[in-house]
Structure formats: C-alpha cells, structure tokens
C-alpha cells in the first residue's frame, strides 16, 4: 500500500541543482564539524609543535565551515524565492521510483502530464504501459501494466508535494497534490513576487530579429519578426539568461550606389547642408526608377558603390546620412511597440567577410566554379558562395561572418533567428553555415548547445496586400479609441487614463493577435477580431486584469494590507474553484519551460486565457467581499480569497510583460 507522503526536507523546495548543492554542502559541514570536535580533544595535551599545527588546522577548518554555512544559506534563500516547476518535481519523483522498481531497465520511459479531469487527480504517470513492453519475456506469467504501476508506487517516498497516488484503469497512476504545499507556494509567490524557476546555468543567447532594410519602410512583414523576437528576448531575460538583441539591418550593398547618386543630384550641397528628405521611401523609388531607365545614372551608381566600399569620406558621409533618416523612422515604430534593439547591420561585418574567405582558402575548403568561390559544408549538397566572380561578397559571406562573430566573439550558447517564412531561402544560409563555421573554428559553442531557428509565417490583410507598419499602428490607435468610447469609458476616465487605455489596448491587441497564433502558421489580420472583448484576445484579458486589480481597491484594501496578509494569512483551498485556481496559478513555471523548449509563444497566450477564465469561475462561486444586501456596505472580506485574486493578477502581469503588453489600472 502507498504510504501518505510527508514533508521531509526544506531542500525539496529548491531546484534540482540547488538540492545537490545542499546535499554536498551539508555533508561537508558535518565532516568539518566532526573534525573540529576531534581536534578539540587535544586541548589537554601539552603545547608542542604538532599541537600548534593541529590548532592551525582547526582554525582553517572553522573558517571553511563558516564559508560553507554562509554559502548554503545563500543558496537556500535564493531557491526559496524561485517558483517551483511542479511537473518537473513530480517527474523527478517518478524517475527515481521507476529506477528503484526496475533497476535493470535502460532509459525507461517517463510520462508525467497534468490530468485532464479532476477525478483523475492533478497529475498522471502513464509509464507503466510502455515499461510492460520493455520487460524481458520469460516463461512466467506476463506482468500487467497495473502490477507495474503498483510496484512503481511502492517506491514513491514521502515528500511535500504528493498527498496520495491511486492506480486507475489498466495502469495509470493518478497523483493528488497536497493542498498545504500548494497553499505555501501561493504565499511564497505573493511574498517574493513572481520569480523565474531556477535554471541550471546562465546561458548567453543571441536573438536576431526585426532587421528591416535601410531606405525602405517597415511593413507588416516586419511586425511578426519584431513582436515575436522581442517576446522571446523578454522570456530569456526573465529566466536570467544573458541576452543580446540584434537588429541585423540591411545597411550595405549595391542599392546605396543609386541612393548616393540620386542624393548628389537632388541635394548637391548635402555635405554642408542637411538634406530635407521627408519621405525616404519615395526617395528610394525615384532613385530605383532612374537606375532602371537612365543608363548614365546606372553607371554613376556603380561608381558610387565602388567609392563607398573603398570608404571614401564623402561617400561614407552620404551613406550615414541616408541610414540616419531611416533609423529615425524605424525608431518611431520601436518606441510605439516598446522594442529595445542593438543595431548591428551588414556593414558591421564587412571587414570580417574578408577574413572568412581567407580562412576558408587557407584551410583548403574553397573550390572555384565559373569564377565564384564556393564552399561545400559537411553533409550539404548545395554549396555556399562566399565570393562572386567580380570579387564581391554575398549574403552567404555576410551570414557566415555574422555567425562566426556571434559564436566565437559573443560566445553564444543559443542563437535564434526570427525571420519571415518568405525569407527562408535567403536567410537559411546561416544554418548550413553552422557546419562551415565549425570547420573554421574547430570545436565551437554549438558543439554542445546547437542553435535554434525560429521561422514564422506572414499575416495578410483580407485583401491579401501588405500594409505600411506605421499606418497599421495608427489605425490600431483610432479603432481602440472608438472601442473605448463605445463602452463610454471616456465618461469615467480622465484624459490621461483614456490615452493610456487607448495605447494599451491598441498595441496590446496587435501584439497579442500575432503571439496568440502558432508562429509556424499563417493568419488573417483583423482589427475587429483582435479588439473583440470576448474569447482569447488581448482586449478580453486586459479588461479581465483591470477587473481583478479593482477588487482590492473597491474593498479599500491597499498594497500594504495585502503584503501583511500574504505573510500572515493561510490561503485556504477548500472550495473546488479555489483549488482549481490555485493549481492553475502555479502552472506558470511549467508553461515557461515548455516555451523555452520549443519557442512557441502562443502557449503562454493560451495559459493566460485559461487563467482568466479559471479566475472567472472562482469569482462567480466564491465571495471575496461580502456586502449587506440592503445597504451595499462591506460586512466581511475573505482575505485568503483576496490573496488568490492578487496572485492571479501578479502572474497575469508577468505574462503580459513577457508578451510585451502593458496593462493599465483603469480601463
């Protein structure tokens, strides 16, 4: 029979890595303490050189003991603040139980998932069926999955997480969590804030996203890369990774020849007087039209390219001037969407491209093909072109130079490219380039971590056309204001509050409409759908969040009172809706881990929607504030339920932050 698990150690609240640190340090402390006691026994001896040596050793041991105790306490303090990935902890318990029950099995399957129905507990281990197939066949009677499940259950130790386990059906092990454990975790969340789950080590991540082209306006095709890339960065930053947000601008190439030639003609005094280029897109189109129709202009444009590449001062100044005009326009978009980026365009890698070609040549990997210099990467059938027949570099060269810099200078553990699916044919040179760069650098960081490629597909308007991004954002602002006025929010909000709500709804809905879809799929962009305050939309979640935050305010409960209650009031989970909400809140670390594994951010959106709807069920069934029916005066505040409201809002706020959405207090 399964004994009822109980709490055995405070160390169980720490992450696995911290548990091992604790175990090692605690053993060291015990050994050192015993050694100190042994040395104390020499106190009755006469002073001698050997005794002096023992005293010195005793002092050193005491010093080491103090250091270890301090280190252990720091680790405990750190781990207590981290949110626990409950699914991961349950998996660890079952992994050990399966290993103990079947020590001869090599890599036995581990299948632990959240239960879909309350009657089946909170989690379910379904490993028994798979283990049945792995057991050696003998003449004895075949062991059933149910018997295997029962055997595994015998090896589940007493612990602070599991109240009981039950065997169901052919061999499912249903896991019921301890309410006391869940209650304590919710209190910890409220006292310490929403903290990331503990990570084994701090990784360096480079995320390449947005990446518009100079002299061209950002369009909706850039929106997905910008929004998804920013949200990925926010998640990596939240869990403590060292993140480099790179904007790989298209700021170099032959197109600058025609732009500079046109600049010389239209604003001949550009070197001394800043040219008033108001519409760079129109300027680009004019220069492209001349390039296609005027042979003399075309020749001069090519000459300008040569002078730019040779870094002639006047042409570098013209190039910088054009880039600056574009940057200002891009920054308007980034400011609206609250996007932070480090610009590192193609021009940054120009000198490094020469080195890439030289290194491949020195190592004997270059082959000639009609004057082109090409490289076949290990396992690849299509070569990379690293130099054209006219001596110019290619996208392959630029991608290789960028990749090498990121791996060996930035020392990236993970590299994420967030590019539109339409760009895959040009951008994917970075990925076979991994093998090529490994050849150059020998054993690189990706030999043990690899790189992650995040391709995402386009969205379109209903007419199938692409739109200027700034126009889309302006339209979002207009429509969100119309929506707020339809709900007569302009009559109850101040002008400042209304403006904040407009911005929050407009940009939040645009971001959420993108992030709530699987990034691998196309979707139709619709303002009507994204501004709908029903269903899985930012509008619904933002209104829900505002309502949750208002509960405490309307009950005259301030932040200080909530913090005091979080430290002193036990969160009761007796009602089924309280229990459901409490567990849902604590799923947050599991959701984050899943996204870290597959980078599919719609999982977070689905979770926030589940949390909001679960809260609504709770609020409809459990009175947080009880009022007199006649007067409407508050007669009772159920503080533990107010704390559940606060915990829900705290997790939603952090989820919004990862998605780059800014909620407001009043809406």
């Amino acid at each position: 029979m399964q004994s009822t698990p109980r709490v055995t150690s405070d160390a169980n609240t720490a992450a696995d890595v911290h548990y091992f640190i604790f175990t090692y340090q605690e053993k060291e402390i015990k050994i050192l303490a015993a050694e100190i006691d042994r040395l104390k026994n020499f106190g009755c001896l006469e002073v001698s050189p050997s005794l002096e040596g023992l005293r010195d050793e005793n002092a050193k041991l005491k010093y080491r003991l103090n250091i270890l105790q301090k280190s252990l306490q720091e680790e405990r303090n750190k781990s207590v603040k981290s949110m626990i990935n409950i699914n991961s902890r349950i998996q660890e318990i079952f992994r050990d139980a399966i290993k103990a029950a079947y020590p001869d099995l090599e890599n036995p399957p581990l299948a632990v998932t959240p239960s879909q129905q309350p009657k089946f507990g909170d989690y379910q281990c379904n490993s028994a069926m798979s283990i049945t197939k792995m057991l050696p066949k003998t003449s004895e009677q075949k062991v059933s999955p149910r018997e295997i499940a029962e055997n595994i259950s015998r090896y589940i130790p007493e612990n602070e997480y599991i109240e009981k386990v039950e065997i169901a059906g052919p061999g499912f092990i249903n896991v019921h969590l301890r309410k006391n454990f869940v209650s304590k975790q919710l209190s910890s969340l409220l006292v310490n804030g929403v903290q990331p789950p503990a990570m084994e080590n701090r990784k360096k991540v480079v995320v390449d996203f947005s990446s518009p082209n100079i002299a061209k306006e950002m369009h909706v095709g850039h929106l997905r890369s910008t929004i998804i890339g920013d949200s990925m960065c926010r998640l990596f930053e939240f869990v403590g990774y060292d993140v480099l947000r790179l904007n790989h601008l298209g700021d170099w190439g032959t197109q600058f020849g025609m732009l500079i030639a046109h600049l010389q003609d239209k604003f001949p005094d550009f070197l001394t007087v800043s040219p008033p280029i108001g519409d760079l897109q129109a300027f680009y189109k004019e220069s492209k039209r001349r390039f296609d129709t005027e042979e003399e202009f075309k020749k001069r444009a090519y000459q300008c390219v040569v002078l730019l590449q040779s870094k002639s001062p006047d042409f570098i100044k013209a190039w910088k001037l054009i880039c600056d005009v574009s940057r200002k326009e891009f920054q308007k978009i980034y400011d609206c969407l609250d996007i932070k980026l480090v610009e590192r365009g193609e021009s940054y890698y120009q000198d490094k491209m020469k080195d890439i070609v030289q290194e491949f040549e020195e190592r004997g990997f270059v082959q000639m093909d009609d004057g082109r210099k090409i490289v076949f990467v290990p396992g690849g059938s299509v070569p990379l072109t690293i130099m054209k027949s006219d001596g110019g570099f290619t996208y392959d060269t630029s991608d290789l130079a960028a990749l090498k810099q990121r791996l060996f200078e930035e020392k990236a553990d993970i590299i994420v490219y967030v590019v539109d699916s339409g760009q895959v044919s040009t951008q994917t040179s970075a990925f076979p380039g991994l093998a090529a760069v490994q050849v150059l650098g020998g054993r690189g960081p990706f030999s043990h971590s690899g790189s992650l490629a995040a391709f995402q597909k386009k969205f379109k308007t209903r007419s199938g056309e692409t739109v200027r991004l700034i126009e889309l954002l302006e339209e979002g602002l207009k429509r969100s204001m119309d929506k707020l006025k339809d709900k007569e929010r302009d009559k109850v909000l101040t002008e400042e509050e209304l403006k904040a709500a407009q911005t929050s709804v407009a940009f939040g809905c645009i971001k959420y409409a993108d992030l709530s879809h699987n990034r691998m799929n196309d979707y139709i962009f619709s303002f009507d759908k994204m501004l709908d305050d029903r269903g899985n939309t930012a509008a619904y979640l933002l209104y829900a969040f505002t309502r949750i935050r208002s509960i405490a305010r309307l009950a005259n409960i301030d932040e200080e009172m909530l913090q005091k209650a979080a430290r002193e009031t036990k969160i009761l989970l007796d009602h089924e809706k309280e229990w459901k909400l409490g567990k849902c809140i604590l799923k947050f670390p599991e959701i984050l881990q899943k996204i870290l594994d597959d980078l599919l951010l719609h999982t977070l959106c689905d979770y926030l929607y589940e949390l909001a709807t679960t809260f609504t069920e709770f609020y409809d069934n459990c009175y947080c504030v009880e009022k007199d029916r006649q007067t409407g005066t508050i007669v009772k505040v159920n503080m533990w339920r107010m704390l559940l409201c606060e915990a829900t809002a705290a997790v939603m706020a952090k989820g919004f932050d990862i998605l780059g959405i800014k909620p407001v207090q009043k809406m």
Side-chain angles (χ1 to χ4, degrees), residues 386-401:
I386 60 171
M387 184 173 282
K388 296 185 287 188
S389 56
D390 63 0
F393 298 123
T394 67
Y395 283 119
D396 288 348
T397 331
S398 175
D399 286 340
L400 286 167

mmCIF file with all atom_site columns, all heavy atoms in Angstrom, residues 386-401:
data_model
loop_
_atom_site.group_PDB
_atom_site.id
_atom_site.type_symbol
_atom_site.label_atom_id
_atom_site.label_alt_id
_atom_site.label_comp_id
_atom_site.label_asym_id
_atom_site.label_entity_id
_atom_site.label_seq_id
_atom_site.pdbx_PDB_ins_code
_atom_site.Cartn_x
_atom_site.Cartn_y
_atom_site.Cartn_z
_atom_site.occupancy
_atom_site.B_iso_or_equiv
_atom_site.pdbx_formal_charge
_atom_site.auth_seq_id
_atom_site.auth_comp_id
_atom_site.auth_asym_id
_atom_site.auth_atom_id
_atom_site.pdbx_PDB_model_num
ATOM 1   N N   . ILE A 1 386 ? 30.889 32.173 -51.330 1.00 0.00 ? 386 ILE A N   1
ATOM 2   C CA  . ILE A 1 386 ? 31.477 33.158 -50.422 1.00 0.00 ? 386 ILE A CA  1
ATOM 3   C C   . ILE A 1 386 ? 32.103 34.341 -51.160 1.00 0.00 ? 386 ILE A C   1
ATOM 4   O O   . ILE A 1 386 ? 32.426 35.343 -50.533 1.00 0.00 ? 386 ILE A O   1
ATOM 5   C CB  . ILE A 1 386 ? 32.521 32.496 -49.492 1.00 0.00 ? 386 ILE A CB  1
ATOM 6   C CG1 . ILE A 1 386 ? 33.658 31.858 -50.290 1.00 0.00 ? 386 ILE A CG1 1
ATOM 7   C CG2 . ILE A 1 386 ? 31.849 31.465 -48.603 1.00 0.00 ? 386 ILE A CG2 1
ATOM 8   C CD1 . ILE A 1 386 ? 34.807 31.387 -49.419 1.00 0.00 ? 386 ILE A CD1 1
ATOM 9   N N   . MET A 1 387 ? 32.252 34.213 -52.492 1.00 0.00 ? 387 MET A N   1
ATOM 10  C CA  . MET A 1 387 ? 32.714 35.366 -53.277 1.00 0.00 ? 387 MET A CA  1
ATOM 11  C C   . MET A 1 387 ? 32.228 35.209 -54.708 1.00 0.00 ? 387 MET A C   1
ATOM 12  O O   . MET A 1 387 ? 32.341 34.142 -55.310 1.00 0.00 ? 387 MET A O   1
ATOM 13  C CB  . MET A 1 387 ? 34.238 35.492 -53.246 1.00 0.00 ? 387 MET A CB  1
ATOM 14  C CG  . MET A 1 387 ? 34.745 36.741 -53.983 1.00 0.00 ? 387 MET A CG  1
ATOM 15  S SD  . MET A 1 387 ? 36.529 37.013 -53.798 1.00 0.00 ? 387 MET A SD  1
ATOM 16  C CE  . MET A 1 387 ? 36.594 37.711 -52.156 1.00 0.00 ? 387 MET A CE  1
ATOM 17  N N   . LYS A 1 388 ? 31.666 36.307 -55.247 1.00 0.00 ? 388 LYS A N   1
ATOM 18  C CA  . LYS A 1 388 ? 31.182 36.293 -56.631 1.00 0.00 ? 388 LYS A CA  1
ATOM 19  C C   . LYS A 1 388 ? 32.360 36.405 -57.601 1.00 0.00 ? 388 LYS A C   1
ATOM 20  O O   . LYS A 1 388 ? 33.484 36.719 -57.214 1.00 0.00 ? 388 LYS A O   1
ATOM 21  C CB  . LYS A 1 388 ? 30.211 37.449 -56.848 1.00 0.00 ? 388 LYS A CB  1
ATOM 22  C CG  . LYS A 1 388 ? 28.934 37.340 -56.013 1.00 0.00 ? 388 LYS A CG  1
ATOM 23  C CD  . LYS A 1 388 ? 27.940 38.429 -56.348 1.00 0.00 ? 388 LYS A CD  1
ATOM 24  C CE  . LYS A 1 388 ? 28.364 39.781 -55.813 1.00 0.00 ? 388 LYS A CE  1
ATOM 25  N NZ  . LYS A 1 388 ? 27.321 40.820 -55.960 1.00 0.00 ? 388 LYS A NZ  1
ATOM 26  N N   . SER A 1 389 ? 32.081 36.166 -58.847 1.00 0.00 ? 389 SER A N   1
ATOM 27  C CA  . SER A 1 389 ? 33.145 36.196 -59.856 1.00 0.00 ? 389 SER A CA  1
ATOM 28  C C   . SER A 1 389 ? 33.750 37.588 -60.006 1.00 0.00 ? 389 SER A C   1
ATOM 29  O O   . SER A 1 389 ? 34.908 37.733 -60.408 1.00 0.00 ? 389 SER A O   1
ATOM 30  C CB  . SER A 1 389 ? 32.599 35.721 -61.212 1.00 0.00 ? 389 SER A CB  1
ATOM 31  O OG  . SER A 1 389 ? 31.482 36.511 -61.595 1.00 0.00 ? 389 SER A OG  1
ATOM 32  N N   . ASP A 1 390 ? 32.970 38.654 -59.657 1.00 0.00 ? 390 ASP A N   1
ATOM 33  C CA  . ASP A 1 390 ? 33.508 40.021 -59.752 1.00 0.00 ? 390 ASP A CA  1
ATOM 34  C C   . ASP A 1 390 ? 34.234 40.451 -58.478 1.00 0.00 ? 390 ASP A C   1
ATOM 35  O O   . ASP A 1 390 ? 34.627 41.609 -58.342 1.00 0.00 ? 390 ASP A O   1
ATOM 36  C CB  . ASP A 1 390 ? 32.384 41.012 -60.080 1.00 0.00 ? 390 ASP A CB  1
ATOM 37  C CG  . ASP A 1 390 ? 31.320 41.092 -58.984 1.00 0.00 ? 390 ASP A CG  1
ATOM 38  O OD1 . ASP A 1 390 ? 31.463 40.378 -57.961 1.00 0.00 ? 390 ASP A OD1 1
ATOM 39  O OD2 . ASP A 1 390 ? 30.352 41.853 -59.141 1.00 0.00 ? 390 ASP A OD2 1
ATOM 40  N N   . GLY A 1 391 ? 34.394 39.507 -57.535 1.00 0.00 ? 391 GLY A N   1
ATOM 41  C CA  . GLY A 1 391 ? 35.119 39.812 -56.303 1.00 0.00 ? 391 GLY A CA  1
ATOM 42  C C   . GLY A 1 391 ? 34.240 40.313 -55.173 1.00 0.00 ? 391 GLY A C   1
ATOM 43  O O   . GLY A 1 391 ? 34.722 40.575 -54.072 1.00 0.00 ? 391 GLY A O   1
ATOM 44  N N   . GLY A 1 392 ? 32.934 40.442 -55.430 1.00 0.00 ? 392 GLY A N   1
ATOM 45  C CA  . GLY A 1 392 ? 32.025 40.913 -54.398 1.00 0.00 ? 392 GLY A CA  1
ATOM 46  C C   . GLY A 1 392 ? 31.608 39.797 -53.447 1.00 0.00 ? 392 GLY A C   1
ATOM 47  O O   . GLY A 1 392 ? 31.692 38.609 -53.783 1.00 0.00 ? 392 GLY A O   1
ATOM 48  N N   . PHE A 1 393 ? 31.168 40.212 -52.269 1.00 0.00 ? 393 PHE A N   1
ATOM 49  C CA  . PHE A 1 393 ? 30.699 39.234 -51.290 1.00 0.00 ? 393 PHE A CA  1
ATOM 50  C C   . PHE A 1 393 ? 29.202 38.973 -51.483 1.00 0.00 ? 393 PHE A C   1
ATOM 51  O O   . PHE A 1 393 ? 28.511 39.707 -52.186 1.00 0.00 ? 393 PHE A O   1
ATOM 52  C CB  . PHE A 1 393 ? 30.960 39.741 -49.871 1.00 0.00 ? 393 PHE A CB  1
ATOM 53  C CG  . PHE A 1 393 ? 32.414 39.939 -49.572 1.00 0.00 ? 393 PHE A CG  1
ATOM 54  C CD1 . PHE A 1 393 ? 32.892 41.176 -49.150 1.00 0.00 ? 393 PHE A CD1 1
ATOM 55  C CD2 . PHE A 1 393 ? 33.322 38.893 -49.710 1.00 0.00 ? 393 PHE A CD2 1
ATOM 56  C CE1 . PHE A 1 393 ? 34.236 41.373 -48.874 1.00 0.00 ? 393 PHE A CE1 1
ATOM 57  C CE2 . PHE A 1 393 ? 34.661 39.078 -49.423 1.00 0.00 ? 393 PHE A CE2 1
ATOM 58  C CZ  . PHE A 1 393 ? 35.129 40.327 -49.010 1.00 0.00 ? 393 PHE A CZ  1
ATOM 59  N N   . THR A 1 394 ? 28.706 37.936 -50.846 1.00 0.00 ? 394 THR A N   1
ATOM 60  C CA  . THR A 1 394 ? 27.307 37.540 -50.987 1.00 0.00 ? 394 THR A CA  1
ATOM 61  C C   . THR A 1 394 ? 26.625 37.506 -49.616 1.00 0.00 ? 394 THR A C   1
ATOM 62  O O   . THR A 1 394 ? 27.264 37.708 -48.581 1.00 0.00 ? 394 THR A O   1
ATOM 63  C CB  . THR A 1 394 ? 27.208 36.140 -51.614 1.00 0.00 ? 394 THR A CB  1
ATOM 64  O OG1 . THR A 1 394 ? 27.736 35.188 -50.676 1.00 0.00 ? 394 THR A OG1 1
ATOM 65  C CG2 . THR A 1 394 ? 27.997 36.054 -52.920 1.00 0.00 ? 394 THR A CG2 1
ATOM 66  N N   . TYR A 1 395 ? 25.306 37.201 -49.633 1.00 0.00 ? 395 TYR A N   1
ATOM 67  C CA  . TYR A 1 395 ? 24.585 37.010 -48.362 1.00 0.00 ? 395 TYR A CA  1
ATOM 68  C C   . TYR A 1 395 ? 25.196 35.854 -47.572 1.00 0.00 ? 395 TYR A C   1
ATOM 69  O O   . TYR A 1 395 ? 25.230 35.879 -46.337 1.00 0.00 ? 395 TYR A O   1
ATOM 70  C CB  . TYR A 1 395 ? 23.107 36.721 -48.627 1.00 0.00 ? 395 TYR A CB  1
ATOM 71  C CG  . TYR A 1 395 ? 22.299 37.945 -48.983 1.00 0.00 ? 395 TYR A CG  1
ATOM 72  C CD1 . TYR A 1 395 ? 21.651 38.031 -50.209 1.00 0.00 ? 395 TYR A CD1 1
ATOM 73  C CD2 . TYR A 1 395 ? 22.173 39.008 -48.089 1.00 0.00 ? 395 TYR A CD2 1
ATOM 74  C CE1 . TYR A 1 395 ? 20.899 39.156 -50.545 1.00 0.00 ? 395 TYR A CE1 1
ATOM 75  C CE2 . TYR A 1 395 ? 21.432 40.131 -48.411 1.00 0.00 ? 395 TYR A CE2 1
ATOM 76  C CZ  . TYR A 1 395 ? 20.795 40.204 -49.642 1.00 0.00 ? 395 TYR A CZ  1
ATOM 77  O OH  . TYR A 1 395 ? 20.062 41.315 -49.965 1.00 0.00 ? 395 TYR A OH  1
ATOM 78  N N   . ASP A 1 396 ? 25.676 34.836 -48.296 1.00 0.00 ? 396 ASP A N   1
ATOM 79  C CA  . ASP A 1 396 ? 26.308 33.704 -47.606 1.00 0.00 ? 396 ASP A CA  1
ATOM 80  C C   . ASP A 1 396 ? 27.519 34.177 -46.806 1.00 0.00 ? 396 ASP A C   1
ATOM 81  O O   . ASP A 1 396 ? 27.703 33.788 -45.649 1.00 0.00 ? 396 ASP A O   1
ATOM 82  C CB  . ASP A 1 396 ? 26.762 32.638 -48.617 1.00 0.00 ? 396 ASP A CB  1
ATOM 83  C CG  . ASP A 1 396 ? 25.597 31.882 -49.232 1.00 0.00 ? 396 ASP A CG  1
ATOM 84  O OD1 . ASP A 1 396 ? 24.477 32.028 -48.714 1.00 0.00 ? 396 ASP A OD1 1
ATOM 85  O OD2 . ASP A 1 396 ? 25.808 31.151 -50.215 1.00 0.00 ? 396 ASP A OD2 1
ATOM 86  N N   . THR A 1 397 ? 28.333 35.028 -47.434 1.00 0.00 ? 397 THR A N   1
ATOM 87  C CA  . THR A 1 397 ? 29.532 35.527 -46.752 1.00 0.00 ? 397 THR A CA  1
ATOM 88  C C   . THR A 1 397 ? 29.152 36.343 -45.520 1.00 0.00 ? 397 THR A C   1
ATOM 89  O O   . THR A 1 397 ? 29.745 36.202 -44.449 1.00 0.00 ? 397 THR A O   1
ATOM 90  C CB  . THR A 1 397 ? 30.370 36.425 -47.693 1.00 0.00 ? 397 THR A CB  1
ATOM 91  O OG1 . THR A 1 397 ? 30.192 36.019 -49.037 1.00 0.00 ? 397 THR A OG1 1
ATOM 92  C CG2 . THR A 1 397 ? 31.838 36.366 -47.330 1.00 0.00 ? 397 THR A CG2 1
ATOM 93  N N   . SER A 1 398 ? 28.153 37.210 -45.700 1.00 0.00 ? 398 SER A N   1
ATOM 94  C CA  . SER A 1 398 ? 27.703 38.051 -44.592 1.00 0.00 ? 398 SER A CA  1
ATOM 95  C C   . SER A 1 398 ? 27.150 37.202 -43.448 1.00 0.00 ? 398 SER A C   1
ATOM 96  O O   . SER A 1 398 ? 27.466 37.428 -42.279 1.00 0.00 ? 398 SER A O   1
ATOM 97  C CB  . SER A 1 398 ? 26.623 39.021 -45.099 1.00 0.00 ? 398 SER A CB  1
ATOM 98  O OG  . SER A 1 398 ? 26.083 39.761 -44.041 1.00 0.00 ? 398 SER A OG  1
ATOM 99  N N   . ASP A 1 399 ? 26.333 36.206 -43.792 1.00 0.00 ? 399 ASP A N   1
ATOM 100 C CA  . ASP A 1 399 ? 25.750 35.338 -42.757 1.00 0.00 ? 399 ASP A CA  1
ATOM 101 C C   . ASP A 1 399 ? 26.825 34.550 -42.020 1.00 0.00 ? 399 ASP A C   1
ATOM 102 O O   . ASP A 1 399 ? 26.757 34.365 -40.799 1.00 0.00 ? 399 ASP A O   1
ATOM 103 C CB  . ASP A 1 399 ? 24.743 34.367 -43.386 1.00 0.00 ? 399 ASP A CB  1
ATOM 104 C CG  . ASP A 1 399 ? 23.450 35.058 -43.782 1.00 0.00 ? 399 ASP A CG  1
ATOM 105 O OD1 . ASP A 1 399 ? 23.184 36.149 -43.253 1.00 0.00 ? 399 ASP A OD1 1
ATOM 106 O OD2 . ASP A 1 399 ? 22.715 34.514 -44.625 1.00 0.00 ? 399 ASP A OD2 1
ATOM 107 N N   . LEU A 1 400 ? 27.824 34.067 -42.761 1.00 0.00 ? 400 LEU A N   1
ATOM 108 C CA  . LEU A 1 400 ? 28.910 33.304 -42.135 1.00 0.00 ? 400 LEU A CA  1
ATOM 109 C C   . LEU A 1 400 ? 29.724 34.191 -41.196 1.00 0.00 ? 400 LEU A C   1
ATOM 110 O O   . LEU A 1 400 ? 30.083 33.773 -40.089 1.00 0.00 ? 400 LEU A O   1
ATOM 111 C CB  . LEU A 1 400 ? 29.821 32.703 -43.206 1.00 0.00 ? 400 LEU A CB  1
ATOM 112 C CG  . LEU A 1 400 ? 29.262 31.508 -43.981 1.00 0.00 ? 400 LEU A CG  1
ATOM 113 C CD1 . LEU A 1 400 ? 30.122 31.225 -45.210 1.00 0.00 ? 400 LEU A CD1 1
ATOM 114 C CD2 . LEU A 1 400 ? 29.187 30.275 -43.094 1.00 0.00 ? 400 LEU A CD2 1
ATOM 115 N N   . ALA A 1 401 ? 30.005 35.409 -41.651 1.00 0.00 ? 401 ALA A N   1
ATOM 116 C CA  . ALA A 1 401 ? 30.774 36.333 -40.805 1.00 0.00 ? 401 ALA A CA  1
ATOM 117 C C   . ALA A 1 401 ? 30.001 36.666 -39.534 1.00 0.00 ? 401 ALA A C   1
ATOM 118 O O   . ALA A 1 401 ? 30.566 36.700 -38.432 1.00 0.00 ? 401 ALA A O   1
ATOM 119 C CB  . ALA A 1 401 ? 31.092 37.604 -41.592 1.00 0.00 ? 401 ALA A CB  1
#
